[in-house]
Every structure is written in structure tokens, then in C-alpha cells.
Amino acid sequence: MNLPFQPVVLWTDGLLFLLVAVVLGFVRWSRHEEHLRAPWRKVARSRGGMIAVTVLVLYAGVALLDSLHYRRALPTDKPGAEVTYAPEVLSVLDTFARPLRDGSERTFSAPFAATAFVKETITRADGTQVRDFPRLRYGGRLLENPDVERVPDIARRALGGLAAGVLLWVTLAGLVTGYVAHRSGETFAEVSAAAWRGEHALPLRAILLTLGGACAVIVPLLVLSAHYHVLGTDKVGQDVFYLTLKSIRTGLVIGTITTLVMLPFALALGIMAGYFGGWVDDVIQYLYTTLSSIPGVLLIAASVLMMQVYMDTHADTFDSITRRADFRLMFLCVILGVTSWTGLCRLLRGETLKLRELDYVQAARAFGVSPWRIMLRHVLPNVLHLVIITTVLGFSALVLAEAVLSYVGVGVDPAMNSFGTMINAARLEMAREPIVWWSLFSAFVFMFVLVLCANLFADAVRDALDPRMREQVSPAAALRRARALAASTRSVA
Amino acid sequence: MGGYLLRRLLYAIPILLGVNILTFSLFFVVNTPDDMARMQLGVKRVTPEAIEQWKREREYDRPLLLNTQAEGAARLTDTIFFKHSLSLFSFDFGRSESDGRDIAHEIRKRMVPSLSVAVPVFVVGLAFYVSFALMLVFFRGTSIDTSGVVLCVAAMSISGMFYIIGGQYLVGKLWHWTPISGFGQGPDAWRFLLLPILVALVSSLGEDSRLFRSFFLEEIHKDYVRTARAKGLGESRILFHHVLRNALIPILTGAVVVIPRLFLGSLILESFFGIPGLGSYTIDAINSQDFAVVRTMVFLGSLLYIVGLILTDLSYTLVDPRVRLQ
């Protein structure tokens, strides 16, 4: 079969989709368990949490689009010949952003500019030479006279984009309201009236307003980016908006896959140490004390340096830059996972120590249930809330850690787009006169929104899932425990 | 208490040994010294002689664990593990691999700049965050408290690097209050330290104040506070006299664990501001792939962490008379 493209599954793609499957499976399963449904219902009713979820879904959408990789078929003259595929690995996001990819400039240009940022010597048609700002290849290329036409053109396109955004928002709002009405058995009119007054059980008005804000910003940006570099271009002329969108995936991969790597260690060792006690406990305690005593950055740095040596000596294993960068990203997740399981492990050990003395565990033991079965059926479900709180809290710390690690030089591959590499490349440009601020600005805004939403979501999850928070006895103890487990990842930052 | 301390110190030995074995296997077993030599020499086709010479100069030309060619005790001592890993226990750090300087000397020299940033940040930060949190708790339930918490959550969502870059741009470049970066000796040294200290203070404002606020809130719901109120004590006296003292216990004991590690400085801060401390030393070592320095810093970091844990336990006995160390 001769496909026009060949799907490529990179390591992190596979793991990311595995994670999505795990989360969906967990959601399906917990629907039937009332004690799990109740806290999630509480999350769904918290306004801050649901606003955060709405934004996070948008981020996740970009990241997943950027995780469907393929290679294009090269055009052939002979019909029936074997199809060969281009060596370059592209993602679906790249295909959508094709004009931005191809429309690169020679060097810096400001947001919405039609001319370059630095003067060059231009040869006129009559042979004379002048020093002036040359026109851009992509930004404002349809304009005859940018000095006059640029601002009206931008305003016109922005208004058009805004109209399209409102249209999209109305459609989305209708879909969301319809879905909620379908699920709750109310009529569409009832739900929309309650949402309008802000009286629905779900914070529907907040969700819809967030969606509206997102539509009003994103759609005009997308429309404008067809003719302008809306966030400028960087040193080698790449569109900053495109680079920022690509960085989202890296941040999300580090934040989530690390958890996937860390969980098996923390779960198995923590529960075993707490349940068995004795020498098993001693060995596991020794293991995590040793690991957590090493400064996080240094352990990561040492491992990444060793991986670099390995990759240099086995350079032929990685056939393309994309694969090489992807391997490095996955390795970074593994290393971060190996260094960050200790906090959760300690916490699970403590919780299991308490649980094993409880009556139902004692009863199971008296009935002769095997220890493995007790741990799986009776202990694990009762420590799950700790696991969820930790992973959600750890996410934002990991996204922030990536930037730091990339600055230190032990983060992602330099060829990979990430917030860390963007900040690193842009910070030196602050010394320019006039200053090049847009790369840092975009990295800042996109990263801030991502981390802020992750923090808000984590707060909502913690409020709902932590039994101590539910009793309203001591929010601080919960926060302190959560801090203890986030400590190992945060020490990186 | 003496017995407890001795036991804790003895328990530190297997942990440090574990750290040593871990770094040893990372550096020498996963990749051989030959690989490292090839990477350090940096060219694709290195002659075997150059590799041999590189290894000889740095005493890497020995077997890993057991030297079968040597006699007596040298069978164990004349090995890479003994010379490069176990020797750390006697604080014999050897020489840097990239520039050949004595590591112990460098550490002594660079400790002062690191401490001159880290200690003010630690002391002022603790006082500042506690006061800020106390203020929020004093105004709890009002819009001051709410906006303070919002500010904290927003502040902790910003990467530390933006604080540094923003601080350097605003204070250093735009307002010309302080030099953008650098480090000075003598009476003018404080001018260079001002900005890094300020940036460090602002960058952890959100997270720490929020944590301390939660400590205070936890304390304020306890019985003794209710009793104090029932006796007719004023709200501010309860807060500043009773609650503050009790909430300081977890705050202080939590802070003690980081005190020893202040020596190692801050990686990012020192490197951005060009402070010649141990943090920037570590970053340089990572960038020039200087394994000897990285190994030393890993060892020192673990050692100081364990010291910090012991100090934490001791500080509990000091501030809370109910705690006894067995």
C-alpha cells in the first residue's frame, strides 16, 4: 500500500498516548465507584479548578496534535514505483502551521512588523544603495505601502478574526451546554438560563467565559498569523508564535511522562516498605534516603552527561535529529522520574503503616488473603488520593524545572523547542538596544498561564481529595505533606 | 543524646557509601574512562596514545575495583574506585579535570561569595515571609488576605529565571541602581550583592509565604487559642504572642535542614549574576564536563544534607521540650 505519508511513533508519542489511555481508563473505572466520584464532582464544582481545566485542555490539545508524527512521501515521476519518504519527521501541528514554518525571515523582526528589525544595505532598482529596514518575506507581504496600510490592515483582519472567534465560541458554548443538559436531564433552556445567571451546579458560566476569552484571543491571533509574525521572529528568523506552540508539547511531556516513570517505583516500594516492615523497610528506606540526599540537579546533570557520552559513542543508533532529540527528552523524563519518586514513596510508606493496622486489613489477613492481594485490593485504593494529589502538584514543578535544566545545559536537546531553550536563547538579546523582548514575552506568557492553571487545578484537586481538607481540620497539614512530596522535584528548581 | 548523635553519624556512612557507589557506577561503569577521554579531547579520531596519556595524567589508567598486578594492600588501593571515589571520604578531592586546579582550594576560595549571597537571603527571607504571612493571617477573611493569596499563587507560577532577567533589566539596566552582574571585593562589594539578594527574596515570596500562612491558620484553630479568646485576650496579642511562637516551631525546624546547604550556593542565581561562588563553579563543571568536580559536589551535597537532617532533629529538642532523642 502506498500511503501519501508514513506514520512515525516516537518514544514520547507512544508514552503520551499511553498516558492518555490510562487517564481515560481511570476516569471510566472511577465512574462506577461512588467514593471516587464524589471528590471529582467536587473538583467539577470548583470555579478556579474548572477554569484551569478548560485552559489545560487547550494546551493538551496543542500537545497531542504535535505528537502525531509522520513522514511525507517524496514525489515520484514513475507511476507504480516504490514510494520513498522524506527523512524529515513532521507533526500534524507542523502541517497546520506550514505557512509559519516556511515563512521564516532572515533574522529578528518585531511582532506585526512588515520590515526587519535591523537595517541592511539594500540595492535599489536603479543601482544605488541605501541603508534601510528591508521588507519582510512573510510579515505584511501583501501590503504595497506598509507605512500607511499596515495598521488598518491589522485592525481589519483582527476584527474579522474576532467575529470568527465569537462564532466559534457560540458553537462551542452551544455544544457544552447541550452536553450538560443531556447529562443532567434538564432542558437546554434551563441549563443556559442557569448558566447565564451563574446558578448552575457546575461553574458553567466561568467555563463558558473562559472559553470565550480563549476564542477571542486565539482565533484573531491565528487569522493574523497567516499574514504577520504575530509574536515576531527570533535570531534566525523563525516565527516565535510557532516556536512557542511547539514548546508546549515539551513542557507537557516532561510534566506527565516523568510521573508515569515515577509512579511504579513509588507505589511498589512505598507500599511494600509500609506493609512488610522489617528488613524490606530498612532496605527501601536506605534506598530513598541515599537518593534524596544527592542534590537533584547534580544527579540529573551527572546522568545526562553520561547519556551524552553514550550517545556520542553510539551516534549511528539515532538516524535523525528528531529521534535523537526525542531519545534525550525521554531519557530526561526517566532521570527526573528516578530522582523524584522518593518523596511520594516516603509518604505512601507512612500511610500504609497506618492502614495495615486497620480492622479491614487485619480481617483480610485473618482470612488468609495473600499479602500481594491485600496490598493491591485493600491498601492501594486507599492511598490513591495521595498519588493523585502528588502527581498533580508535581506537574507545575516539573514544567518549571525543565527551563532551569535547559539553562544549565542538562535539559532537552538544543534542537528541541522548549520554554527553557527559548528563554536561554532570548535572555542575551535583552542587552540589545532597542531590546528584543518578544521571545521572552511569549515564553513568559505561555509558561505562566500553563503553570498557573496547573497550580489552580492542583489546589482544587487537593481540596476535594484530601480527607483532612474535607474535614476542614487542618489545611496546613495537607499542604505540608504535599510540599514534602513535591520537595524532591522542586529542589531541582 | 550523645548516643543518638553517634548512631545518626554512623548511619550517615552507609548512605554516603551508597552515594559514592552510585556516582562511581554512573561515571565509570556505564561509560569507560576511554569514552570520557574521547569526549574530553573532543575530536572524532583520537589516537590511542592521546587517550592513554589523558588517562595517565588523571590517574584513570587503573582497573576499576581490583588491581591484580599490584601487591598487598595496593591490590585494593591502586584502583579507580579507591583513588577517585573512596578518597572523597578523607576530603581529598583531587584536581579538576578541565583546568587541573586543586578542587579543595577552589571550594575554600568560592565559599565566601556563595555565603555572602545565601546567608542574607536565608535570614532576611525567613523574617520577611513570616511577617508577610502573619499580615495575611491578621487580615484573614478580608480582601487583603484574598488578594495576598492570589498574589502568592501568581508569583509561584513564574519561573525563577524570569525574576532574574526582569530584575536585571529593570533595576540594573533601566534604573541603573545596581550593576547588572558581577562581584566585587572591599567596601563596594555590597552593591553587587544587592540585586541578587533582592531577586532571590522576591522569587520565593509566593511559595514560602503561602506555606507559612497555612502553618499559622492551622495553629489558629487550636484549643489554646479559643481559651485565650475566652479569657478576653485581644486578637493581635493572641496572634503575635501565642500563635506566632507555636507556628514558628515547624517553620524554624523546616528551615534548619537547608542551612548546611547554603554553602553550595545557588546554581542559577550565581551563574546569571556572575558571582564566583560554588554554584557557578558547579555549572561551569557541568558545562565543561568536569567529572571530578561534579563528583565532589555530589558528595558534599549529600554530606551537608545529612548534617542538615541531624541538625533538624536537634533543633526539635531545643524548641519543643516534649521531644526527646533516644
Side-chain angles (χ1 to χ4, degrees):
Chain A
M1 199 169 58
N2 286 342
L3 286 171
F5 62 91
Q6 180 190 40
V8 177
V9 180
L10 300 174
W11 275 102
T12 49
D13 295 346
L15 287 172
L16 209 57
F17 284 104
L18 177 71
L19 192 82
V20 171
V22 168
V23 170
L24 287 181
F26 181 74
V27 169
R28 265 194 94 78
W29 173 69
S30 58
R31 271 197 175 159
H32 303 291
E33 317 268 324
E34 181 52 34
H35 68 286
L36 289 172
R37 264 177 71 172
W40 287 115
R41 215 177 287 138
K42 201 172 166 190
V43 174
R45 293 199 173 149
S46 84
R47 203 166 40 167
M50 286 318 279
I51 292 176
V53 167
T54 315
V55 179
L56 288 176
V57 165
L58 295 178
Y59 271 90
V62 174
L64 288 180
L65 273 187
D66 201 14
S67 300
L68 293 166
H69 285 101
Y70 70 96
R71 296 196 323 192
R72 248 182 321 191
L74 290 174
T76 47
D77 314 331
K78 288 172 276 178
E82 188 72 11
V83 180
T84 49
Y85 295 98
E88 189 187 25
V89 179
L90 292 172
S91 75
V92 176
L93 182 78
D94 294 334
T95 321
F96 288 145
R98 183 101 181 264
L100 289 181
R101 270 174 66 82
D102 298 344
S104 63
E105 309 295 341
R106 266 200 300 280
T107 179
F108 293 113
S109 67
F112 295 111
T115 51
F117 185 65
V118 279
K119 281 190 176 174
E120 277 176 34
T121 309
I122 310 166
T123 314
R124 286 206 186 124
D126 56 8
T128 55
Q129 289 190 330
V130 282
R131 292 283 294 172
D132 198 7
F133 300 107
R135 285 291 299 271
L136 294 179
R137 262 180 291 194
Y138 182 83
R141 61 188 180 283
L142 297 179
L143 305 179
E144 285 280 326
N145 182 3
D147 292 339
V148 189
E149 296 168 28
R150 193 171 63 101
V151 178
D153 185 58
I154 292 171
R156 197 169 46 80
R157 288 181 199 281
L159 276 178
L162 202 62
V166 170
L167 213 65
L168 180 67
W169 177 61
V170 170
T171 323
L172 284 178
L175 283 176
V176 171
T177 318
Y179 177 74
V180 172
H182 171 72
R183 289 297 306 256
S184 62
E186 298 160 276
T187 65
F188 188 86
E190 278 168 4
V191 174
S192 40
W196 177 259
R197 292 193 302 270
E199 286 167 359
H200 199 268
L202 294 173
L204 210 51
R205 184 164 67 174
I207 296 175
L208 295 182
L209 283 180
T210 315
L211 265 183
C215 285
V217 174
I218 296 172
V219 178
L221 268 186
L222 289 178
V223 169
L224 279 166
S225 71
H227 295 90
Y228 293 94
H229 296 292
V230 286
L231 291 172
T233 53
D234 71 353
K235 193 171 185 172
V236 288
Q238 283 175 294
D239 187 272
V240 172
F241 185 45
Y242 171 70
L243 293 183
T244 322
L245 287 182
K246 294 285 281 181
S247 305
I248 291 175
R249 174 178 184 266
T250 314
L252 284 179
V253 162
I254 292 203
T256 52
I257 304 225
T258 302
T259 309
L260 201 67
V261 173
M262 172 265 269
L263 275 187
F265 287 101
L267 275 174
L269 294 178
I271 294 180
M272 267 164 66
Y275 187 80
F276 288 121
W279 66 268
V280 180
D281 191 19
D282 288 341
V283 170
I284 292 172
Q285 276 201 63
Y286 169 73
L287 259 181
Y288 71 61
T289 317
T290 306
L291 258 183
S292 58
S293 79
I294 303 178
V297 189
L298 284 176
L299 187 57
I300 295 165
S303 315
V304 171
L305 284 181
M306 285 304 109
M307 178 204 54
Q308 266 173 353
V309 178
Y310 177 83
M311 279 170 66
D312 281 355
T313 43
H314 299 79
D316 43 328
T317 340
F318 308 100
D319 52 358
S320 68
I321 303 172
T322 318
R323 276 193 192 284
R324 200 187 143 91
D326 182 69
F327 179 80
R328 186 160 164 169
L329 179 65
M330 194 194 63
F331 188 85
L332 191 66
C333 291
V334 171
I335 287 298
L336 278 168
V338 168
T339 52
S340 62
W341 60 270
T342 54
L344 180 61
C345 180
R346 186 178 318 195
L347 208 79
L348 290 177
R349 172 182 168 272
E351 196 68 17
T352 312
L353 273 178
K354 272 187 264 165
L355 287 177
R356 59 176 274 199
E357 302 304 329
L358 292 186
D359 288 344
Y360 66 92
V361 177
Q362 298 286 347
R365 209 179 295 163
F367 277 126
V369 181
S370 81
W372 301 105
R373 211 176 153 70
I374 293 179
M375 283 190 266
L376 200 67
R377 297 277 310 183
H378 301 291
V379 179
L380 181 65
N382 289 297
V383 296
L384 265 188
H385 66 280
L386 286 179
V387 176
I388 295 171
I389 295 172
T390 319
T391 51
V392 177
L393 267 181
F395 176 83
S396 53
L398 285 168
V399 175
L400 291 177
E402 185 274 327
V404 172
L405 290 177
S406 292
Y407 169 74
V408 180
V410 293
V412 298
D413 196 271
M416 176 156 255
N417 303 308
S418 81
F419 292 124
T421 44
M422 273 181 81
I423 298 171
N424 211 2
R427 74 191 169 89
L428 295 174
E429 308 304 337
M430 293 292 280
R432 265 173 189 271
E433 203 62 59
I435 91 165
V436 175
W437 49 269
W438 43 88
S439 286
L440 270 182
F441 170 79
S442 350
F444 171 77
V445 169
F446 277 75
M447 209 173 159
F448 175 67
V449 172
L450 176 62
V451 176
L452 182 68
C453 288
N455 277 334
L456 287 177
F457 180 59
D459 280 356
V461 167
R462 200 184 47 210
D463 287 350
L465 262 76
D466 198 319
R468 297 211 214 173
M469 303 289 267
R470 224 175 291 159
E471 292 153 15
Q472 288 296 316
V473 178
S474 84
L479 188 61
R480 192 169 49 208
R481 279 191 305 164
R483 278 261 307 192
L485 34 105
S488 46
T489 42
R490 271 187 207 276
S491 69
V492 167
Chain B
M1 182 124 136
Y4 174 81
L5 263 186
L6 190 71
R7 234 169 342 110
R8 286 298 298 259
L9 285 174
L10 284 180
Y11 187 56
I13 294 176
I15 291 176
L16 286 176
L17 204 63
V19 171
N20 248 319
I21 291 172
L22 190 78
T23 41
F24 173 77
S25 39
L26 257 181
F27 283 122
F28 298 109
V29 180
V30 178
N31 296 289
T32 61
D34 288 41
D35 292 333
M36 285 181 358
R38 231 170 272 134
M39 188 151 126
Q40 280 277 327
L41 298 170
V43 251
K44 271 276 171 249
R45 281 179 187 70
V46 197
T47 57
E49 291 81 32
I51 291 179
E52 281 308 314
Q53 199 199 341
W54 186 90
K55 280 162 61 183
R56 205 173 320 116
E57 280 168 6
R58 287 161 186 78
E59 300 190 313
Y60 282 144
D61 55 344
R62 295 176 167 76
L64 285 179
L65 284 170
L66 188 68
N67 193 343
T68 46
Q69 270 150 33
E71 293 292 316
R75 282 171 78 97
L76 284 175
T77 57
D78 200 18
T79 58
I80 290 182
F81 182 63
F82 191 87
K83 285 237 184 258
H84 290 284
S85 268
L86 279 186
S87 61
L88 293 174
F89 275 98
S90 61
F91 294 96
D92 167 17
F93 302 135
R95 286 174 181 286
S96 147
E97 274 163 26
S98 50
D99 55 12
R101 290 205 208 135
D102 186 34
I103 296 178
H105 175 73
E106 284 287 307
I107 289 177
R108 272 195 301 277
K109 202 174 76 187
R110 285 165 174 270
M111 220 162 68
V112 181
S114 278
L115 283 177
S116 57
V117 177
V119 170
V121 169
F122 177 75
V123 177
V124 180
L126 205 57
F128 179 50
Y129 305 144
V130 167
S131 331
F132 187 67
L134 208 56
M135 185 195 84
L136 293 184
V137 174
F138 187 74
F139 291 109
R140 66 184 178 282
T142 67
S143 55
I144 296 180
D145 182 31
T146 319
S147 44
V149 173
V150 170
L151 177 82
C152 286
V153 176
M156 61 193 264
S157 304
I158 298 174
S159 168
M161 299 169 79
F162 287 116
Y163 285 108
I164 300 178
I165 298 172
Q168 279 183 331
Y169 180 73
L170 278 184
V171 181
K173 200 178 161 198
L174 219 56
W175 299 337
H176 295 290
W177 288 356
T178 62
I180 292 179
S181 73
F183 189 76
Q185 301 279 339
D188 262 354
W190 63 272
R191 294 180 38 122
F192 289 97
L193 294 178
L194 212 57
L195 187 57
I197 292 174
L198 193 75
V199 166
L201 284 179
V202 174
S203 64
S204 40
L205 170 78
E207 207 174 331
D208 287 1
S209 304
R210 205 173 102 136
L211 179 73
F212 293 165
R213 174 180 169 273
S214 67
F215 286 152
F216 287 124
L217 283 183
E218 183 180 11
E219 210 62 34
I220 225 159
H221 292 296
K222 288 202 172 151
D223 286 343
Y224 71 88
V225 176
R226 201 179 340 161
T227 313
R229 276 204 199 109
K231 276 166 55 184
L233 240 59
E235 195 61 27
S236 55
R237 185 163 168 80
I238 294 175
L239 192 63
F240 295 115
H241 200 77
H242 297 283
V243 172
L244 176 61
R245 281 182 171 196
N246 281 295
L248 272 181
I249 296 179
I251 292 174
L252 288 182
T253 46
V256 165
V257 73
V258 300
I259 290 179
R261 271 201 188 171
L262 292 180
F263 282 97
L264 294 184
S266 153
L267 296 186
I268 304 297
L269 205 64
E270 288 184 12
S271 131
F272 263 95
F273 284 103
I275 298 164
L278 285 174
S280 53
Y281 189 47
T282 313
I283 294 239
D284 292 346
I286 292 171
N287 284 333
S288 61
Q289 288 155 356
D290 193 327
F291 300 108
V293 176
V294 174
R295 228 162 27 225
T296 308
M297 294 322 257
V298 168
F299 180 78
L300 277 183
S302 322
L303 183 70
L304 293 174
Y305 178 74
I306 295 169
V307 173
L309 287 183
I310 299 175
L311 285 182
T312 309
D313 284 354
L314 289 182
S315 67
Y316 266 117
T317 60
L318 288 181
V319 293
D320 192 343
R322 288 171 300 181
V323 179
R324 298 247 188 291
L325 297 180
Q326 307 281 306

